[in-house]
Amino acid sequence: MYKKTIAELAKGLRSGAFSSQELTQTYLNRIRQHQSLNCFITVTEEQAMAAAITADKRLATGDAALLTGIPLAQKDIFCTQGVKTSCGSKMLDNFIAPYNATVIEKFNAAGAVMLGKLNMDEFAMGSSNETSFYGPVQNPWDTTCVPGGSSGGSAAAMAAHLAAGVTGTDTGGSIRQPAALCGITGLKPTYGRVSRYGMIAYASSLDQGGPMTRSSEDAAIILQTMAGFDPKDSTSSEQAVPDYSVGLNNSLQGLKIGLPKEFFTADLNSDMAATIETAINEYKKLGAEVVEITMPHLKMAIPAYYIIAPAECSANLSRYDGVRFGYRCKDPVDLTDLYTRSRGEAFGAEVKRRILIGTYALSAGYYDAYYLKAQKIRRLITDDFTKAFTEVDVIMGPVTPSTAFAIGEKSNDPIQMYLSDIYTIAINLAGVPAMSIPAGFVNNKPVGLQIIGNYFSEARLLNVAHRYQQVTDWHQRTPKGFE
Amino acid sequence: MQDPTGQGQEHPEGHKYPEGHKWETVIGLEIHTQLATQSKIFSGAATAYGSEPNTQACAVDLGLPGVLPVLNEGAVRMAITFGCAIDAEIAPYSVFARKNYFYPDSPKGYQISQMELPIVGVGHMDIEVDGITKRIGITRAHLEEDAGKSLHEDFHGLTGIDLNRSGTPLLEIVSEPDMRSAKEAVAYMRKIHELVRYLAISDGNMQEGSFRCDANVSVRPKGQQAFGTRTEIKNINSFKFVEKAINYEVERHIDVLENGGRIIQETRLYDSVKDETRAMRSKEEANDYRYFPDPDLLPVIIDQQLLSDIRNNLPELPAAKKQRFKTDYQLDEDSATTLTSSRELADFYEAVVKRSGCDAKLCSNWVTGDLLASLNRENLDINAAPITHERFADLLARIHDNTISGKIAKQVFDEMWRSDASADQIIAAKGLQQITDSGEIESIIDKIIADNLDQVEQYRSGKDKVFSFFVGQVMKQSQGKANPAEVNKLLKAKLSN
C-alpha cells in the first residue's frame, strides 16, 4: 500500500481497506528497514501512532480532510512543538521547539500523521546533504551517491517510499535539485505562497517551503494544505488559493513553452540535454508549442545569489549565540568566549563560510559594491522572467547540469558544488514557482525536467506536470531494493 | 546611529587655543521615546512595565528559530502623529533595516530599526530660552525596537537577561546640531517630552526609561563655521542630568583644546554620582552595524487617506493651547505656560473653570498655586492628585458664592487633600461658613471698639493705619469667618461715629 498515491490512500482509508494505524506502521517499518539511507534525523514513532489513532476516529465520523490519516514526514527545518528541530545542525541538536510552524499547524488541523523529521544540509546550506551534522543521506538509486540538497532526506525518503509525501524548502534549488537527483516530484511555490513562520530562516527573501511527492497529483493535494496567507508572516501573500486539483487534466493544446538558450549550453551534459529534449518532444505531442527565448541575465544568478543569501544568513544566524537556546560551549570565561566558542564549535564549515561571506558583503565600504549590486542583478533577472512570461506560458529546462554525483566528490570544492544549482537559483531570485519532475534516466540515475511558471501559476504548473505524468511512467519507477 | 549630525570633521591639530578664548557650544540630541502601544512593535506580547522578568516575552521577542516579525500598525500611527505635530515630511515609503550587533539582551543578534528611509523626515520644534524663541531643526524620527535588559546584580558574577522590554516600540528623534547651550538642549528635550505626552504617544516616564536621550556635544571657536570634533554622551534619563552632563563635557572639551590637546570622537557615559563623563568606546572601536533592509518586513507605504486622517485628528498642540488660554481666559504668559505644560493639567484647569463657574483668573491662581505646590511637595503627577477636578471645582465655587473666604478655602483645601470629603461636608462639619449677617458682625465690632478705646482715639485723630488692626481683631474674633467686605463696611461706619 506504500506505493499508492495520496488520493488512493485517502480512498483506502475511507473504504476501510486499511486503517491509518496500519498504514503508519507500514511506513514506520520501512523507515526502520532502510535506516542506512539516513533519511530521518528523528522518527516520531509514538506521536505518529497516537496521531493515527486520532485520525482513524476522525475518519470513522466521516469528518475527515483529504490528508487525515496520511503519513507524511517533515524537513527538520520546520518547528514542531515538543519535537527536536535541529535544522541539520549541532547548534540545534538540543532544541525542542516550543511551538509549531504554521505549515505544521495546517497539517495537524488536516489530521495528517507526522512520521518524523527529515535530514537536510545544515541550516539548508548545501546541495548534497553532506553538510548535515547528522551525516550524509544516501541516494536510493545509487547509495554511493548524494541525494542532492538541501532537502536530501526528503527526496531520498520519497524515492524509497518511506512516507506518502514530504515537505522541503527551497532557497536556491533545495526542493528541485534533490527531487531531480532522486527521481521524484518537487514544487517550489511562488515566494509568499506558503507561510515561512516557524520555518527556520536561511535567506528570508528566497526561502520557500513546498511539497515533495511521488506525483504532481499528490503535490497538488499537499500544496493545497500548505498554501495560504498567514498573518504571522508579513511576506506571505493574501492572494486567494485556488483548487490545485481541479485543473490537473486540462488540455495542453496550444501551451507555449519557452526554452531559454542560456539553459542549453556546454555546461549541460549531452546525455542530460538529450533526455530533456525527449521530454520536450512529449509535450509537443500533447499539443504544446515550443519557442526559444533568451534570458540574458541568468548567467549572473549564481554570483548574485551568493551575495544575497549569505548576507541574509549572516544576520539570520546571529541568534544562535549560546545565550537562550541551542548549543553552548563548556565553561565560557566571558561573553566573547561564550559567543566565539559556542558558534565556532557548533556551526559546520559551510555555514561558517556563508556567514563570513555575508558579513563581508554587508561591511562598511563593501555594501554598495556587493549587496546593492547583487540586488540590481536580482531586479534584472526578475525582469527577464517577467518579459519571458509575456511571450510564453511556461519555461522548461534542466534542473541540474548532471545526475547525482558521488558522496565526497564535490564536498571539498564549494564552487563546483555551487554550480550544481546553476539552473535553479534564478527562479528564487525572481520569486516565481517551479517544479522538478522525473523525465528519464542517464546511467540509471534520474534526470529531472524543470517547469517554471509565472507568479502564482502553481495550478498551471501542476497541470503541465500531471499531463506529462499521464503519458510517461518515470515518476512511477522505484529504485532496486526499495520496491 | 552613526554620525547623524555630520559633526565628524576633525579640527586641524597642533593648534593651541589661548585660555579665555571665546568658545561656542554645539549640541544635537537623539531622543528615544517609548511608544505607548499595548503590544510590542513586532509581536503580540504586552508592553507593560515592571512585570516579572521574561513573562512578557513571546517566541518572537525571544528570537526563537523560525519566528517572524509583524509590524504593529499602532506604532506607525504614533510615529506619523509625531511627524505631523512637528510639521515634518512623512515618508510615503519607509523601510525597516537590520542593525547587526551581538549583545546578550539583543536576542536576534540584530535590532530592527530604520536607516536610509525613516518614516518621519525633516521637521522642527520651537523652544524658548530667556524669553527668546529659537527654532531647532529635527533631522528625522524613525521607528525601532528596544532591547532587553542585562541584570548584573543578584547573579553572583553571572548576568541575568530580562527580555520583557525586548521589542518595545521606540521612536528615535534626531535633532540638527542647532543647540548652543545645555539650557537650550534641556528646553528642547522638555518640549519634545511635553509634545509626546500631549499626543498621548508616550507616557514619557523617565524613571522607567520611556524617555531618554543621547547628546552629541562639540565646541568651536566663536565665528568658526566648521564643527569641532564631537563626543556622544549615551543614555541620559533626566533633564537635570542632560544639563549637567553637557556642561561637564563642554568644559572638558575646552580644557583639552586650550591645553593643546585634541578631542577624540568617542562615545561617553555620564556618571551622575561623580558628575562626570567617561569614555565608553572610540570611533575606531565603533561597531560596523552592517545595516541592510529586513527581508522579513515589507516596506511601509503610507497612503494619503491615513495621513489626512491622522492630521485632521491631531489634538490641540501646546503652543496653540497656550495662546488660546491667554486669549480666552485672559491669563498672563507665566500662568498660561504653567497650565499648558501638560495636557492633563490643562484639561484639569479647563474642567475646573467650567464646573466652578468661577473667574478663570481665580481658578488659575488656585491651580498654579495651592494645587501645584501640594503636588510638587509630594512629588505627584496631576493624574495622581488626591483631589479630583470635580471636588476642586466645588471648593472654588464656594469662594465664588461667598460661602467661604479665600483664606478659609485654603484650610478646606488642606482638609480635602487628606480626606475624601467634599468641600461642603468639611465646611459644614467645621462650621467654616462665612458670617455675612451684619447684626452678628456688628456685635463683634461693638465689643472690640469698647475694649480698644485707645486705638479708636488714634484712628479718629487721623491714624488710618490702625484700621487694619480692627479688621484683624474682627477676623480673629470670628475665627476668620466674617465676610471681609462686610467687615470693612461696618467698621468704617462705626469708627467714624
Side-chain angles (χ1 to χ4, degrees):
Chain A
M1 65 183 131
Y2 55 86
K3 280 192 170 179
K4 291 184 191 302
T5 66
I6 290 175
E8 287 165 350
L9 290 176
K11 215 175 274 172
L13 288 171
R14 276 162 185 74
S15 71
F18 46 82
S19 66
S20 175
Q21 290 169 72
E22 290 168 273
L23 187 59
T24 302
Q25 195 57 62
T26 304
Y27 280 115
L28 287 170
N29 291 344
R30 285 186 67 79
I31 291 168
R32 199 171 307 123
Q33 189 188 339
H34 299 295
Q35 228 166 18
S36 58
L37 288 176
N38 200 23
C39 290
F40 282 78
I41 289 173
T42 306
V43 180
T44 49
E45 186 158 355
E46 270 178 44
Q47 291 103 315
M49 288 314 295
I53 291 168
T54 308
D56 282 333
K57 284 185 192 146
R58 186 167 162 187
L59 283 157
T61 66
D63 168 39
L66 199 49
L67 283 181
T68 305
I70 304 289
L72 306 177
Q74 309 294 347
K75 185 174 180 179
D76 206 18
I77 198 169
F78 290 99
C79 283
T80 43
Q81 191 165 3
V83 176
K84 179 165 101 174
T85 301
S86 74
C87 220
S89 181
K90 180 180 179 182
M91 183 60 87
L92 292 179
D93 185 48
N94 64 0
F95 179 65
I96 311 293
Y99 76 103
N100 278 327
T102 297
V103 162
I104 301 296
E105 286 290 333
K106 289 180 170 224
F107 283 128
N108 288 349
V113 172
M114 184 177 86
L115 296 166
K117 307 292 294 287
L118 295 159
N119 205 342
M120 56 182 284
D121 277 300
E122 185 179 7
F123 283 104
M125 298 178 205
S127 309
S128 66
N129 216 107
E130 290 167 290
T131 71
S132 170
F133 172 63
Y134 301 92
V137 172
Q138 297 175 349
N139 188 323
W141 292 97
D142 178 345
T143 53
T144 66
C145 284
V146 302
S150 65
S151 313
S154 303
M158 279 323 294
H161 291 292
L162 305 188
V166 301
T167 52
T169 61
D170 191 316
T171 306
S174 283
I175 285 176
R176 291 158 290 156
Q177 186 255 20
L181 267 43
C182 289
I184 63 149
T185 300
L187 166 60
K188 181 207 90 78
T190 307
Y191 182 79
R193 181 71 297 178
V194 171
S195 167
R196 292 188 295 116
Y197 188 78
M199 194 179 103
I200 297 177
Y202 156 28
S204 314
S205 75
L206 301 160
D207 296 341
Q208 186 62 202
M212 298 172 77
T213 53
R214 298 289 312 185
S215 68
S216 179
E217 191 187 8
D218 284 358
I221 292 170
I222 293 193
L223 181 62
Q224 200 73 51
T225 298
M226 294 178 82
F229 173 69
D230 179 5
K232 291 177 184 165
D233 175 2
S234 312
T235 64
S236 75
S237 170
E238 293 189 46
Q239 186 145 331
V241 177
D243 184 327
Y244 291 122
S245 298
V246 75
L248 284 174
N249 279 306
N250 286 354
S251 162
L252 301 189
Q253 197 63 47
L255 177 80
K256 259 189 135 174
I257 299 173
L259 301 179
K261 65 179 192 299
E262 292 78 8
F263 274 4
F264 299 91
T265 65
D267 290 332
L268 184 64
N269 164 311
S270 58
D271 293 338
M272 299 285 290
T275 310
I276 300 297
E277 204 180 315
T278 310
I280 305 283
N281 284 331
E282 205 63 54
Y283 274 104
K284 285 184 186 158
K285 285 188 228 158
L286 288 166
E289 263 178 68
V290 175
V291 292
E292 191 189 78
I293 57 171
T294 177
M295 302 179 76
H297 301 101
L298 285 185
K299 61 179 183 294
M300 295 194 279
I302 286 193
Y305 174 88
Y306 279 100
I307 294 298
I308 292 168
E312 292 181 11
C313 109
S314 73
N316 282 334
L317 271 62
S318 292
R319 69 190 63 202
Y320 308 107
D321 57 5
V323 174
R324 296 166 312 287
F325 50 77
Y327 181 82
R328 176 184 287 188
C329 67
K330 276 211 174 77
D331 305 321
V333 297
D334 58 21
L335 186 59
T336 306
D337 189 42
L338 169 70
Y339 284 155
T340 51
R341 277 205 292 126
S342 297
R343 290 168 68 80
E345 290 166 15
F347 283 143
E350 184 60 30
V351 169
K352 285 178 189 163
R353 183 178 294 127
R354 295 194 196 189
I355 291 174
L356 287 172
I357 294 171
T359 304
Y360 181 82
L362 290 174
S363 296
Y366 299 101
Y367 181 84
D368 290 8
Y370 292 108
Y371 185 80
L372 277 191
K373 184 69 66 72
Q375 291 294 6
K376 279 178 193 153
I377 294 172
R378 184 175 189 173
R379 167 53 50 194
L380 293 173
I381 289 171
T382 304
D383 291 347
D384 275 2
F385 279 100
T386 311
K387 183 165 166 285
F389 287 120
T390 62
E391 293 162 21
V392 299
D393 300 313
V394 294
I395 295 168
M396 288 191 187
V399 181
T400 56
S402 63
T403 55
F405 45 92
I407 293 173
E409 186 183 326
K410 296 185 183 179
S411 48
N412 290 322
D413 188 346
I415 300 293
Q416 272 312 304
M417 190 71 92
Y418 295 171
L419 286 173
S420 65
D421 293 333
I422 191 166
Y423 303 118
T424 51
I425 273 176
I427 284 83
N428 297 77
L429 290 171
V432 294
M435 287 184 82
S436 170
I437 58 170
F441 289 83
V442 167
N443 298 329
N444 299 318
K445 284 188 269 186
V447 174
L449 170 72
Q450 188 166 214
I451 314 168
I452 306 158
N454 207 345
Y455 298 98
F456 299 103
S457 69
E458 286 82 0
R460 185 62 163 158
L461 290 185
L462 289 159
N463 160 229
V464 170
H466 179 70
R467 288 304 297 250
Y468 177 81
Q469 292 182 338
Q470 296 304 101
V471 295
T472 57
D473 69 349
W474 306 117
H475 63 292
Q476 288 168 337
R477 307 283 179 94
T478 297
K480 264 201 196 89
F482 299 92
E483 290 95 348
Chain B
M1 276 193 51
Q2 291 197 301
D3 205 7
T5 57
Q7 292 184 51
Q9 297 111 305
E10 300 278 322
H11 196 269
E13 279 177 65
H15 181 93
K16 184 168 171 175
Y17 295 98
E19 213 171 313
H21 188 90
K22 296 280 184 220
W23 293 99
E24 182 174 54
T25 303
V26 176
I27 303 160
L29 294 187
E30 291 167 28
I31 294 175
H32 299 255
T33 184
Q34 270 183 17
L35 297 178
T37 52
Q38 292 297 304
S39 58
K40 293 185 174 177
I41 185 166
F42 299 118
S43 84
T47 51
Y49 177 84
S51 306
E52 281 293 297
N54 299 311
T55 55
Q56 281 183 180
C58 69
V60 174
D61 308 319
L62 296 175
L64 288 183
V67 298
L68 296 170
V70 175
L71 179 60
N72 182 339
E73 251 188 69
V76 175
R77 293 187 77 101
M78 288 181 181
I80 297 172
T81 303
F82 177 79
C84 291
I86 58 160
D87 221 0
E89 304 152 19
I90 306 299
Y93 180 96
S94 64
V95 168
F96 283 98
R98 294 182 181 180
K99 176 182 179 178
N100 293 287
Y101 66 95
F102 282 97
Y103 203 69
D105 60 22
S106 163
K108 297 186 296 297
Y110 57 84
Q111 178 195 28
I112 305 177
S113 180
Q114 298 190 303
M115 181 58 179
E116 280 180 2
L117 298 165
I119 186 154
V120 176
V122 173
H124 57 84
M125 172 60 90
D126 290 344
I127 60 167
E128 226 171 84
V129 173
D130 302 330
I132 294 160
T133 303
K134 180 173 176 179
R135 176 154 289 191
I136 305 298
I138 292 174
T139 319
R140 58 184 280 168
H142 65 257
L143 285 165
E144 62 185 25
E145 57 179 342
D146 210 342
K149 276 181 190 163
S150 297
L151 309 167
H152 300 290
E153 289 158 26
D154 307 330
F155 291 94
H156 312 289
L158 300 177
T159 298
I161 307 293
D162 177 7
L163 294 175
N164 281 352
R165 200 180 64 180
S166 167
T168 300
L170 291 179
L171 187 67
E172 179 174 333
I173 305 155
V174 182
S175 85
E176 290 289 311
D178 284 352
M179 288 152 275
R180 294 292 173 265
S181 68
K183 235 174 162 180
E184 287 186 4
V186 172
Y188 166 77
M189 194 175 172
R190 281 191 187 278
K191 285 289 253 183
I192 298 286
H193 186 250
E194 176 188 84
L195 180 62
V196 296
R197 297 189 58 203
Y198 253 83
L199 298 171
I201 60 172
S202 174
D203 66 14
N205 190 320
M206 297 172 86
Q207 277 91 49
E208 293 174 4
S210 302
F211 193 85
R212 52 192 200 257
C213 90
D214 303 338
N216 290 287
V217 178
S218 66
V219 299
R220 61 182 171 190
K222 262 216 164 94
Q224 179 184 300
Q225 278 293 52
F227 290 121
T229 303
R230 76 189 171 101
T231 54
E232 181 178 13
I233 316 165
K234 279 278 184 201
N235 241 331
I236 327 174
N237 68 348
S238 91
F239 297 120
K240 195 171 83 187
F241 294 161
V242 167
E243 183 158 14
K244 289 177 120 180
I246 292 174
N247 281 334
Y248 176 90
E249 193 59 13
V250 167
E251 274 184 44
R252 191 184 69 83
H253 280 217
I254 294 173
D255 260 10
V256 168
L257 295 171
E258 289 187 346
N259 286 309
R262 181 174 82 90
I263 296 298
I264 301 160
Q265 188 176 334
E266 64 189 357
T267 305
R268 298 177 71 85
L269 262 188
Y270 176 67
D271 180 335
S272 58
V273 179
K274 293 186 180 156
D275 187 24
E276 62 179 32
T277 66
R278 277 197 301 273
M280 261 173 87
R281 54 173 186 264
S282 75
K283 190 189 177 189
E284 286 72 32
E285 300 166 52
N287 287 318
D288 175 0
Y289 290 118
R290 305 189 307 278
Y291 283 96
F292 75 103
D294 190 331
D296 288 333
L297 290 161
L298 303 176
V300 182
I301 292 162
I302 307 296
D303 63 69
Q304 282 308 311
Q305 185 56 47
L306 177 70
L307 198 54
S308 50
D309 245 30
I310 291 175
R311 207 161 255 155
N312 295 335
N313 289 308
L314 272 188
E316 187 182 27
L317 298 178
K321 199 181 280 275
K322 185 167 130 186
Q323 200 46 53
R324 182 169 62 80
F325 276 27
K326 283 163 80 173
T327 317
D328 289 6
Y329 302 124
Q330 300 289 310
L331 300 180
D332 58 41
E333 173 74 22
D334 283 355
S335 307
T337 303
T338 306
L339 288 173
T340 56
S341 64
S342 86
R343 190 167 156 184
E344 290 83 1
L345 185 62
D347 289 349
F348 188 100
Y349 169 72
E350 289 201 278
V352 167
V353 172
K354 202 171 165 204
R355 185 180 167 101
S356 69
C358 289
D359 173 45
K361 186 82 188 136
L362 176 83
C363 295
S364 162
N365 290 343
W366 270 87
V367 172
T368 58
D370 291 75
L371 181 70
L372 279 188
S374 303
L375 288 171
N376 289 341
R377 184 184 66 231
E378 298 188 18
N379 206 10
L380 291 175
D381 192 78
I382 183 70
N383 295 320
I387 305 179
T388 62
H389 66 80
E390 290 95 345
R391 287 172 73 215
F392 192 73
D394 293 346
L395 169 65
L396 300 195
R398 292 298 156 267
I399 305 174
H400 186 63
D401 67 11
N402 282 327
T403 306
I404 52 174
S405 66
K407 201 169 168 199
I408 292 290
K410 286 180 194 296
Q411 203 181 317
V412 178
F413 173 83
D414 288 342
E415 195 65 36
M416 288 171 80
W417 190 268
R418 290 188 298 270
S419 74
D420 288 333
S422 70
D424 286 342
Q425 284 166 342
I426 294 167
I427 292 165
K430 302 215 156 186
L432 296 174
Q433 190 147 4
Q434 201 155 229
I435 303 167
T436 44
D437 176 51
S438 51
E440 199 175 327
I441 296 174
E442 268 183 75
S443 65
I444 294 172
I445 292 175
D446 288 345
K447 188 170 179 297
I448 288 169
I449 289 179
D451 291 349
N452 298 286
L453 291 172
D454 281 1
Q455 281 82 354
V456 173
E457 199 51 44
Q458 287 174 19
Y459 179 78
R460 287 189 177 149
S461 64
K463 243 184 152 183
D464 288 352
K465 275 165 81 183
V466 187
F467 186 74
S468 58
F469 162 78
F470 286 104
V471 174
Q473 288 299 310
V474 176
M475 295 315 273
K476 195 176 166 191
Q477 283 292 316
S478 68
Q479 291 166 312
K481 291 186 286 185
N483 180 313
E486 198 69 16
V487 171
N488 275 350
K489 195 179 91 191
L490 292 171
L491 256 180
K492 280 227 167 88
K494 293 254 180 202
L495 287 171
S496 30
N497 284 340

